[in-house]
């Protein structure tokens, strides 16, 4: 199951959302704190200005009435509020700030609660208490318009960041798809070089690597095909001369050697063939039954090839590719395995599977990794039996070109009655196979 968080775009999106969320939350707290500080400072400055204005007014024009909500109160009046020590923290901070702006030993108090907020101030030079209104210190509201604007800015930032992450992910996705095609042995067109400088350099290096590998593969295929093709004519003449020999024993031995060499040459030609298979797709189950039937017809005694075909009519492969896969694997099983050889197909959630297993000794665990390498013969004595070490390499190349994957390993003795070698190929389901074929034809 694919998880969005596993992709580069998913992780970039999660990172961007978390960073923006943290930054906006921090800015929101900072703005609220600064706004509270500004409110307190403004209230202090306003109160100090009013007190200084009242003092100046009393000193210059004591007979003139005071402004509205500003009054002078006799120190012996009962209206003078007591000095309350247990005030809320914002009020205590406000009073401390006002005292700092006033002369030393100035008394500063807050009016009685339940009435419009007032500030009572009396210094040593004041004959009366100066009472001035103060701006109420309102606590910050839990939600305000700032939250709405932060939400809008956050959403816009997330959308822009996701678009930038998507733009960065697209070149990597194209490169990953090209790497996957290259790993399956499919033709890889040049990947467009876009994105950041490092990504462009990576794409450029990948394109150069693909070109060099294709050039090397082409040169090797041309050389191999040319040598194999040039050997066919001398082999045909050699076989003709061998059949004209009088001594039967020598004639049969030479003919067998020529047939082995001819088989090796044909394997060379198949391995060197680098073109796409344009043959008609056939049902794998039906074709496997026909191929197995032909093997049974030429084998002596009881049939040594069994079938367990359960994939259904939806499993289809190009006819030439399927015939080459089956012929190489069945020849390998007959040559090095032991009966019975089982050809099985199935439909699984991952795709269609085609497997061929035998009941022989299998391959040593340390040799499994080299079993499909070209020109590798695990048994040195096999070289004289018409084997070139290309059978499994051809199968691997054909499977990858058909869009599938393969696994080679030994069977479990408890489940198969013997050790034996098992080659299992997995191909995508019909819809995926059709899409892969369409994309390949488009290239």
């Amino acid at each position: 199951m694919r998880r969005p968080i596993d992709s580069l775009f998913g992780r970039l999106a999660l990172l961007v959302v978390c960073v923006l969320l943290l930054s906006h939350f921090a800015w929101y707290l900072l703005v609220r704190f600064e706004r509270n500080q500004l409110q307190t400072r403004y209230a202090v400055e306003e109160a100090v200005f009013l007190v200084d204005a009242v003092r100046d007014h009393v000193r210059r024009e004591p007979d003139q009435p005071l402004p509205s909500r500003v009054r002078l109160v006799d120190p012996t009046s009962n209206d003078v509020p007591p000095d309350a020590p247990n005030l809320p923290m914002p009020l205590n901070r406000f009073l401390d700030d006002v005292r700092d702006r006033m002369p030393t030993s100035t008394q500063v108090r807050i009016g009685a609660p339940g009435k419009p907020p007032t500030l009572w101030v009396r210094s040593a030079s004041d004959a009366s208490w100066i009472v001035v209104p103060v701006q109420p210190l309102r606590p910050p509201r839990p939600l305000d318009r700032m939250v709405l604007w932060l939400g809008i800015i956050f959403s816009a930032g997330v959308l822009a960041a996701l678009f930038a992450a998507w733009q960065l992910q697209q070149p990597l996705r194209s490169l990953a798809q090209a790497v996957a095609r290259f790993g399956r042995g499919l033709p890889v067109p040049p990947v467009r070089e876009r994105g950041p400088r490092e990504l462009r350099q990576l794409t450029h290096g990948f394109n150069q690597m693909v070109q060099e590998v294709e050039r090397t593969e082409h040169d090797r295929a041309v050389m191999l095909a040319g040598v194999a093709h040039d050997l066919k004519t001398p082999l045909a003449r050699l076989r003709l001369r061998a059949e004209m020999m009088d001594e039967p024993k020598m004639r049969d031995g030479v003919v067998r050697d020529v047939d082995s060499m001819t088989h090796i040459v044909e394997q060379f030609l198949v391995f060197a063939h680098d073109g796409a298979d344009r043959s008609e797709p056939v049902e794998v189950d039906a074709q496997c039954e026909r191929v197995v039937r032909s093997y049974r017809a030429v084998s002596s005694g009881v049939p040594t090839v069994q079938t367990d075909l359960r994939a259904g009519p939806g499993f289809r492969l190009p006819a030439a590719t399927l015939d080459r896969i089956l012929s190489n694997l069945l020849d390998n099983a007959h040559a090095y395995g032991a009966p019975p050889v089982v050809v099985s197909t199935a439909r699984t959630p991952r795709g269609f599977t085609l497997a061929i297993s035998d009941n022989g000794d299998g391959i040593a665990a340390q040799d499994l990794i080299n079993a499909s390498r070209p020109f590798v013969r695990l048994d040195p004595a096999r070289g004289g039996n018409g084997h070139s070490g290309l059978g499994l390499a051809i199968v691997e190349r054909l499977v990858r070109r058909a869009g599938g994957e393969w696994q080679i390993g030994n069977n479990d003795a408890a489940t198969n009655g013997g050790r034996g070698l098992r080659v299992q190929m997995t191909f995508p389901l019909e819809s995926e196979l059709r899409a892969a074929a369409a994309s390949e034809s488009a290239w």
Side-chain angles (χ1 to χ4, degrees), residues 25 33 65 68 80 84 96 121 133 143 159-160 182 185 232 247 302 309 332 344 366 380 386 392 402 407 415 430 437:
F25 181 71
F33 177 77
S68 175
V80 177
D96 291 339
V121 178
L143 293 176
L159 292 177
F182 182 73
K232 292 181 68 175
E247 186 175 349
V302 295
L309 308 175
N332 189 77
S344 60
Q366 64 270 18
L392 294 179
Q407 291 180 344
T415 60
E430 183 178 3

Side-chain angles (χ1 to χ4, degrees), residues 32-42 93 97:
R32 284 173 65 93
F33 177 77
E34 287 295 328
R35 185 171 61 179
N36 295 337
Q37 295 294 323
L38 287 174
Q39 182 186 13
T40 302
R41 285 196 294 268
Y42 178 79
R93 187 182 303 113
D97 291 342

